[in-house]
Amino acid sequence: MNDGMNQFLQVFFEETEEHLASLELLLLGLDLQQPDPEELNGIFRAAHSIKGSAGMFGFDDLTAVTHELETLLDRIRSGQLALQAEMVDLFLQARDVLMRLLDAHRQQRPDPDVPVSSTVARLRELLDAAPATGEEASFGFFDDAPGTPQAATDDDFGFFDEAPGAPAQAADDGFGFFDDAPGTPAPTVSEAPKAVAPPASPSTSPSTKPSAGEGESSSIRVSVEKIDSLINLVGELVITQAMLGQLGGALDPSLHERIHQALAQLEHNTRDLQESVMSIRMLPISFIFSRFPRLVRDTSARLGKQVELLLQGEHTELDKGVIERLSDPLTHIVRNSIDHGIELPEVRLAAGKPASGTLRLGAFHQGGSIVVQISDDGRGLDRARILAKAREKNLAVHDGMSDAEVWQLIFMPGFSTAEVVTDLSGRGVGMDVVKRNIQAMGGRIEIDSAAGLGTRISIRLPLTLAILDGLIVAVANTHYVIPLTYIVESLQPKAADIRGLGGEEGAVIRVRGEYLPLLSLHDLLGEAAPPLPAEQSIVVILEADGRPFALQVDDLVGQQQVVIKSLEQNFRRIEGIAGATIMGDGSVALILDVDALPGLAQQQGAALHELP
């Protein structure tokens, strides 16, 4: 297939996926008693657009399913059929079939297991079982017969239906993505001859068409690779600007006033350019939130539970890369909340709760991060059971552990307190992967839970994976970057506050009456120069996995945004290091993997004890 056709195919795959997402969302929101005509029209338009474009590319399986779907939807929206719950279920199943077919065509690997024929047959059964009315003869394949009340709205959908210059009403017969193009398979069900396009109705006033054309021309589709390349170039520009700023700082402002003004303007413009480019990759988190109404509906029905899903902050924007990697962890957490958190209706009623549980999924900005919260009003985590399970697994736990430390135990590999293993959860596989994926994005996950009241899981994520807000620290004339999201505070310790327990590697520091493990970055990273005396050094209090600890460094250099460079791609993996960045003077600074530092300290301590 040539490149030109490939480009069209990519557009088809992306737009069909969007149509399927829209179709699913509208189906889930339908009121069975009084369905909104606009929502029914939206569902019909999505199915019809898919059918038209699939026909153009010769995807007969997609066309066959959407044709039956479209015919059935048309009778519902025209009032000839009453909407029923089983129809919605079947429409959702048909949507899943269409998605599987789409994936198979995208990968160019036909999937013989996709139930195309049975889905078409079930849709026809519903159609055949419907009582015929006198109005039935008035519509046909495209149901655009004169007199059809919704004819005006039908004209406006399709792939390029809002393209500049699109005729206002003539598109009635030819809407969709070239659905009348040669090669479109003939409909296989009995149908009336294609209706002639009705004359323009008053509702399709010409004044609305220009605005649609303007909306289409205001956006274009650009490949992610081109955007990533642009972001990398801007990152290099930021580094170059920082270098120039550092060189300019050495010049006397009184003698080089114009150079300083130019450098200040360059910094301002570079920052604006960087923010603009980064915003291109930003997408509303609704892209993944929109998948959960279906997931909650199916999962709760499967478990015999009643769950109401509330979405908040759907318009919060996040980097596309973060959104794509957040989908699986969120799916796992939501399934766990329904399976283990929210009780059965009879249990909830006995506990004085409403029969229907509430699951909230929200997102909001906090500081320089995005926080995604999943909360339920279920039974909450059982602290005693978690500690008992941890002791069974010979984990180092004690009754004096804080709740935050106990909750973190559920992220241990293979850890589960579920008494029954289901195909949804209970094997202890998943939450450790969730945490690992979140940490791989530079994020953190925290849990709050109260017995009988519910559980709230908070995921704090960076806005983007390309830029990091960090604190620059110095150790033996080498600069390191600590992500700001891990930092609690920094202080200059007093010698009297530092104690050694069981050897040098077991030092602790007293901070406001609480003793915290004290790690030396000198020792962790094997710096040849000895660390400074405690009273001359700086201690940064960090928190990883719900546990605070102190990190001793020589000095604080400053706080700044840095462009993240992969160390593994350019060099090799180093334990305790998450990446690298280039500083304004051209030197390389390593970005600390804060979550790995306590484990690295334990490994080094164990290695020391094993020495002869």
Side-chain angles (χ1 to χ4, degrees), residues 235-422:
E236 297 298 329
L237 178 62
V238 170
I239 293 171
T240 305
Q241 177 268 319
M243 290 180 177
L244 290 173
Q246 190 154 344
L247 291 173
L251 300 177
D252 186 345
S254 61
L255 300 177
H256 304 88
E257 181 181 359
R258 295 184 62 185
I259 291 180
H260 278 270
Q261 290 177 348
L263 289 174
Q265 187 63 40
L266 175 63
E267 181 182 1
H268 176 75
N269 292 341
T270 304
R271 189 182 306 117
D272 287 349
L273 177 62
Q274 184 184 24
E275 291 176 356
S276 299
V277 171
M278 296 306 297
S279 68
I280 297 176
R281 279 186 61 99
M282 292 295 180
L283 294 174
I285 203 168
S286 59
F287 270 74
I288 50 175
F289 276 14
S290 60
R291 304 174 186 177
F292 289 101
R294 174 75 183 280
L295 176 74
V296 171
R297 176 185 185 273
D298 292 351
T299 306
S300 57
R302 192 171 169 185
L303 296 172
K305 298 181 178 180
Q306 298 176 16
V307 182
E308 181 185 9
L309 175 66
L310 300 178
L311 301 177
Q312 297 170 326
E314 304 101 303
H315 300 296
T316 305
E317 290 190 332
L318 202 56
D319 185 276
K320 182 178 185 294
V322 179
I323 283 183
E324 290 173 347
R325 294 166 68 175
L326 186 60
S327 177
D328 288 344
L330 276 185
T331 300
H332 193 87
I333 293 173
V334 167
R335 278 182 173 162
N336 264 10
S337 292
I338 299 173
D339 196 6
H340 298 309
I342 295 178
E343 309 94 330
L344 289 166
E346 56 270 25
V347 177
R348 293 181 60 87
L349 289 172
K353 295 179 178 180
S356 176
T358 302
L359 183 66
R360 298 178 187 275
L361 198 55
F364 56 89
H365 288 270
Q366 190 173 72
S369 306
I370 292 287
V371 179
V372 180
Q373 286 187 337
I374 309 98
S375 60
D376 64 66
D377 62 348
R379 58 172 60 93
L381 296 178
D382 189 331
R383 177 189 168 95
R385 180 181 291 184
I386 292 174
L387 285 175
K389 195 69 178 181
R391 290 189 178 98
E392 284 180 19
K393 290 181 168 292
N394 296 320
L395 297 176
V397 297
H398 55 85
D399 291 335
M401 292 174 67
S402 66
D403 284 346
E405 291 174 324
V406 174
W407 306 149
Q408 289 293 324
L409 290 173
I410 69 172
F411 295 113
M412 300 290 289
F415 194 95
S416 175
T417 60
E419 297 175 350
V420 179
V421 176
T422 68

Side-chain angles (χ1 to χ4, degrees), residues 39-86:
E39 291 182 347
L40 288 175
N41 284 330
I43 297 168
F44 177 86
R45 283 196 292 268
H48 183 64
S49 295
I50 295 171
K51 187 187 75 171
S53 51
M56 190 200 86
F57 289 107
F59 297 144
D60 295 345
D61 44 9
L62 282 166
T63 308
V65 175
T66 49
H67 172 69
E68 303 299 337
L69 186 64
E70 175 195 61
T71 306
L72 200 50
L73 285 166
D74 187 70
R75 292 199 180 186
I76 295 172
R77 69 172 188 157
S78 61
Q80 299 176 38
L81 276 179
L83 184 65
Q84 301 171 15
E86 62 172 340

Side-chain angles (χ1 to χ4, degrees), residues 121-139:
R122 292 176 64 192
L123 289 169
R124 283 180 180 172
E125 286 174 7
L126 275 182
L127 195 63
D128 295 339
T133 67
E135 298 174 358
E136 187 174 2
S138 65
F139 74 93

Side-chain angles (χ1 to χ4, degrees), residues 4-266:
M5 184 55 75
N6 274 331
Q7 288 182 354
F8 282 118
L9 268 176
Q10 288 306 315
V11 173
F12 164 72
F13 291 140
E14 292 172 7
E15 295 194 354
T16 301
E17 199 166 351
E18 292 172 5
H19 285 309
L20 289 175
S22 171
L23 184 145
E24 181 184 62
L25 197 62
L26 290 170
L27 281 172
L28 293 172
L30 274 180
D31 182 350
L32 292 177
Q33 304 302 323
Q34 294 181 330
D36 186 338
E38 283 304 315
E39 291 182 347
L40 288 175
N41 284 330
I43 297 168
F44 177 86
R45 283 196 292 268
H48 183 64
S49 295
I50 295 171
K51 187 187 75 171
S53 51
M56 190 200 86
F57 289 107
F59 297 144
D60 295 345
D61 44 9
L62 282 166
T63 308
V65 175
T66 49
H67 172 69
E68 303 299 337
L69 186 64
E70 175 195 61
T71 306
L72 200 50
L73 285 166
D74 187 70
R75 292 199 180 186
I76 295 172
R77 69 172 188 157
S78 61
Q80 299 176 38
L81 276 179
L83 184 65
Q84 301 171 15
E86 62 172 340
M87 292 180 177
V88 176
D89 291 338
L90 184 54
F91 293 163
L92 287 171
Q93 292 168 19
R95 177 262 174 209
D96 293 342
V97 168
L98 291 172
M99 181 57 80
R100 291 179 61 182
L101 290 173
L102 187 69
D103 290 339
H105 286 301
R106 194 198 318 255
Q107 298 171 8
Q108 298 183 7
R109 292 179 181 174
D111 185 354
D113 296 332
V114 181
V116 178
S117 301
S118 60
T119 303
V120 170
R122 292 176 64 192
L123 289 169
R124 283 180 180 172
E125 286 174 7
L126 275 182
L127 195 63
D128 295 339
T133 67
E135 298 174 358
E136 187 174 2
S138 65
F139 74 93
F141 189 72
F142 292 138
D143 135 276
D144 299 324
T148 302
Q150 302 299 333
T153 57
D154 287 348
D155 303 341
D156 297 334
F157 67 91
F159 266 61
F160 301 134
D161 50 354
E162 293 180 351
Q169 193 63 33
D172 196 36
D173 298 334
F175 62 89
F177 197 173
F178 308 144
D179 49 356
D180 291 334
T184 303
T188 54
V189 297
S190 60
E191 57 195 50
K194 191 172 179 180
V196 178
S201 64
S203 60
T204 54
S205 59
S207 60
T208 60
K209 288 296 177 183
S211 61
E214 290 168 7
E216 178 68 22
S217 62
S218 65
S219 64
I220 58 173
R221 288 180 182 269
V222 180
S223 71
V224 175
E225 289 76 15
K226 288 183 179 178
I227 295 175
D228 287 344
S229 174
L230 185 60
I231 290 175
N232 286 333
L233 290 173
V234 171
E236 297 298 329
L237 178 62
V238 170
I239 293 171
T240 305
Q241 177 268 319
M243 290 180 177
L244 290 173
Q246 190 154 344
L247 291 173
L251 300 177
D252 186 345
S254 61
L255 300 177
H256 304 88
E257 181 181 359
R258 295 184 62 185
I259 291 180
H260 278 270
Q261 290 177 348
L263 289 174
Q265 187 63 40
L266 175 63

Side-chain angles (χ1 to χ4, degrees), residues 539-554:
V539 166
V540 183
I541 309 299
L542 305 171
E543 186 173 308
D545 295 343
R547 299 183 179 184
F549 67 94
L551 187 67
Q552 182 182 353
V553 299
D554 290 349

